[in-house]
Structures are given as C-alpha cells and as structure tokens.
C-alpha cells in the first residue's frame, strides 16, 4: 500500500559496468543514480564502459551523484571532460562534502553531481 506521504522508492544494486543482463535486471530508467566507491575510475579504457552504463540506466531527466577516490589524476580529468559533453557537471568541493555524503563512501576524494 502506498501512503499519501510516499514520494517514491530507492533501489540499491551492485553493478558491473557494461553488463547488459545486470543493467536490465535493475529495471531502468532511473531519475536519480548515486554511485559510491566507484573504484574503477583509474583505468582509461573503462571510462567509455562506465558512461555507456550510465546512459543505459538513465531516464530523460537524470541526476547523478558519484563519489570515488581519485586514483589517477589524468584519468579523472579525462572522465570529467567526457561527462561535460553529456551532463551539466558540478564538482562538489571537499569542504562541502557533508557527513551525509560520507555515509555513502568514506574514502571518496571526489564527488561529482551531474544533471
């Protein structure tokens, strides 16, 4: 039963980038995606697979919040440039990262908000 004050639902899933069976299994499209401990953001050859996975999960008005540890400055910069071509990108300065965000990922050195 959905109550009058219900505003939706949250679904949590581990996802291998590019795994079409897993992508279909989580039931996209979504309006919001929160990515935590996005640990594969260290290899250039995985950036395109990550972006394709985000597109496959995204609804027409997607908002993303992605937290990750910067493991390679050059790959991080390349990822941001790729994402800027498709999203309105906002880097959340570490001083603005709240304890709420740290609940999702304690080791994150970067948070990116995409709309």
């Amino acid at each position: 039963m959905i109550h009058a004050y219900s505003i939706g639902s949250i679904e949590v899933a581990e996802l291998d980038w590019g795994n079409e069976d897993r992508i279909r299994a989580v039931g996209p499209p979504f309006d919001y995606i929160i990515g935590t401990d996005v640990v594969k953001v260290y290899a250039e050859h995985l950036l395109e697979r990550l972006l394709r996975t985000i597109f496959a999960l995204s609804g027409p008005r997607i908002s993303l919040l992605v937290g990750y540890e910067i493991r390679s400055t050059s790959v991080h910069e390349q990822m941001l440039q790729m994402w800027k071509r498709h999203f309105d990108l906002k880097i959340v300065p570490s001083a603005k990262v709240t304890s709420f965000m740290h609940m999702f990922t304690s080791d994150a050195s970067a948070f990116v908000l995409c709309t």
Side-chain angles (χ1 to χ4, degrees):
M1 173 202 246
I2 297 178
H3 297 284
Y5 56 85
S6 176
I7 59 171
S9 63
I10 295 175
E11 185 169 333
V12 178
E14 184 176 328
L15 188 63
D16 293 325
W17 302 344
N19 183 326
E20 293 180 18
D21 292 332
R22 286 293 304 139
I23 291 169
R24 278 191 298 278
V26 297
F30 297 103
D31 297 323
Y32 300 94
I33 298 173
I34 299 172
T36 61
D37 291 333
V38 182
V39 297
K40 292 183 183 176
V41 184
Y42 59 83
E44 182 179 325
H45 70 279
L46 297 172
L47 294 177
E48 186 66 35
R49 188 182 311 171
L50 171 59
L51 189 59
R52 281 194 320 267
T53 300
I54 290 170
F55 287 151
L57 295 169
S58 299
R61 296 180 46 89
I62 188 68
S63 292
L64 307 166
L65 177 62
V66 181
Y68 55 93
E69 182 177 351
I70 298 174
R71 298 172 195 272
S72 165
T73 307
S74 63
V75 173
H76 169 73
E77 290 300 322
Q78 184 178 358
M79 183 191 77
L80 293 180
Q81 292 307 313
M82 288 176 75
W83 288 19
K84 284 179 183 177
R85 292 193 293 266
H86 304 282
F87 302 105
D88 179 16
L89 201 71
K90 296 172 185 73
I91 309 299
V92 180
S94 57
K96 298 268 186 183
V97 175
T98 67
S99 58
F100 172 77
M101 289 177 169
H102 279 297
M103 285 189 327
F104 292 112
T105 176
S106 59
D107 295 332
S109 54
F111 280 91
V112 179
L113 177 63
C114 306
T115 55

